[in-house]
Amino acid sequence: MQKRGLLVVVSGPSGSGKSTLLKELKNVNPELKFSVSATTRPPRANEIEGQNYFFKTVDEFAEMIKKGELIEWTSYCDNLYGTPKSLVEDCIKSGKDIVLEIEVQGHENIKRIYPESVSIFILPPTYEELVRRIEKRGSETSETLQKRLDTAKKEMLCLEQYDYVIVNADIQKAIKEINCILIAEKHKVSRNENILKDIGLN
Ligand code: 5GP
């Protein structure tokens, strides 16, 4: 029987360095799949359609919900974000591991639908560093900046809903830690129900 792939949820506030970390994780683990979300947020400079996000109008997003194409969706800082169903389902069924970079409400929904999913929360090395990183990004107006800082604080208080936490001070160390988590999860007895049969014990 085909072993199911891991569904890995990674969350962390803006400024935790989560996106850079996941980009590097992708480079070092080319076999890992990454979900591409749909969003109504306008693209930032350097963001590519279909790579960073599928950029949608509110009507297009509503149509995706109506057609049942999203596993979960949420409103975050006045924009809609959602996880397309097809890639996630295909990966899990075909034994490939897939990573979802989503916020805390999305994680809550995913855990309900896929209780076997693994969740990792990324923290910045310090709160001051988080503020500095968001300000440096420069893509925010002072109003959206304040909103993101408030949201970041609220999100960090959801830490206890997650399985694992990583403090992202050193990117290479953080990558190693994520890989250790993925390896440990794959070795759980509950994920290896056919192992005795596989080794030839009848
Ligand atoms: P950003 O606008 O900075 O790219 O993303 C804002 C937040 O939305 C981040 O915390 C990101 O992880 C989250 N996000 C991205 N895609 C999804 C999604 O499909 N579902 C949910 N629930 N959150 C998402």
Side-chain angles (χ1 to χ4, degrees):
M1 205 174 88
Q2 174 74 59
K3 233 166 109 172
R4 283 164 73 79
L6 289 180
L7 174 52
V8 185
V9 173
V10 179
S11 303
S14 283
S16 60
K18 176 187 52 169
S19 302
T20 314
L21 179 60
L22 290 183
K23 214 166 164 189
E24 184 60 16
L25 183 72
K26 205 180 213 172
N27 288 338
V28 296
N29 294 30
E31 76 287 358
L32 259 185
K33 302 286 174 200
F34 286 77
S35 168
V36 178
S37 296
T39 184
T40 59
R41 166 169 78 59
R44 295 189 184 121
N46 303 327
E47 283 188 328
I48 298 168
E49 164 72 17
Q51 250 179 53
N52 302 92
Y53 282 105
F54 296 107
F55 295 99
K56 303 285 177 191
T57 63
V58 174
D59 285 349
E60 287 167 343
F61 198 96
E63 191 63 19
M64 289 183 85
I65 296 175
K66 201 168 139 199
K67 287 185 179 156
E69 291 173 3
L70 299 175
I71 302 176
E72 60 77 36
W73 66 93
T74 198
S75 169
Y76 180 93
C77 293
D78 299 332
N79 292 301
L80 296 167
Y81 295 82
T83 306
K85 193 180 278 177
S86 53
L87 181 65
V88 171
E89 290 284 339
D90 289 351
C91 283
I92 297 176
K93 277 186 203 139
S94 60
K96 292 180 191 130
D97 303 334
I98 180 159
V99 177
L100 269 53
E101 180 192 341
I102 60 177
E103 50 66 73
V104 294
Q105 184 60 54
H107 163 252
E108 218 177 303
N109 293 332
I110 291 288
K111 261 291 183 224
R112 201 163 10 83
I113 305 166
Y114 302 94
E116 73 285 8
S117 59
V118 185
S119 58
I120 305 174
F121 198 88
I122 311 293
L123 285 176
T126 61
Y127 181 65
E128 283 75 16
E129 177 62 13
L130 174 141
V131 176
R132 201 187 62 76
R133 286 178 185 170
I134 298 180
E135 283 174 349
K136 198 176 124 202
R137 192 183 282 166
S139 64
E140 316 291 339
T141 63
S142 65
E143 194 193 331
T144 62
L145 173 68
Q146 193 50 50
K147 207 168 214 170
R148 278 190 183 252
L149 288 177
D150 292 345
T151 306
K153 277 188 204 163
K154 273 190 213 139
E155 284 182 314
M156 286 190 276
L157 296 175
C158 295
L159 174 66
E160 63 181 25
Q161 297 167 9
Y162 285 74
D163 300 316
Y164 297 95
V165 62
I166 295 214
V167 175
N168 186 19
D170 172 332
I171 204 160
Q172 294 309 328
K173 183 164 174 276
I175 299 264
K176 246 188 224 162
E177 289 165 348
I178 293 180
N179 278 325
C180 286
I181 292 169
L182 301 188
I183 291 168
E185 282 291 329
K186 281 170 188 285
H187 286 268
K188 276 192 167 164
V189 172
S190 58
R191 295 192 197 273
N192 288 275
E193 50 189 9
N194 295 310
I195 195 84
L196 292 178
K197 212 166 140 207
D198 291 348
I199 65 157
L201 183 76
N202 292 307

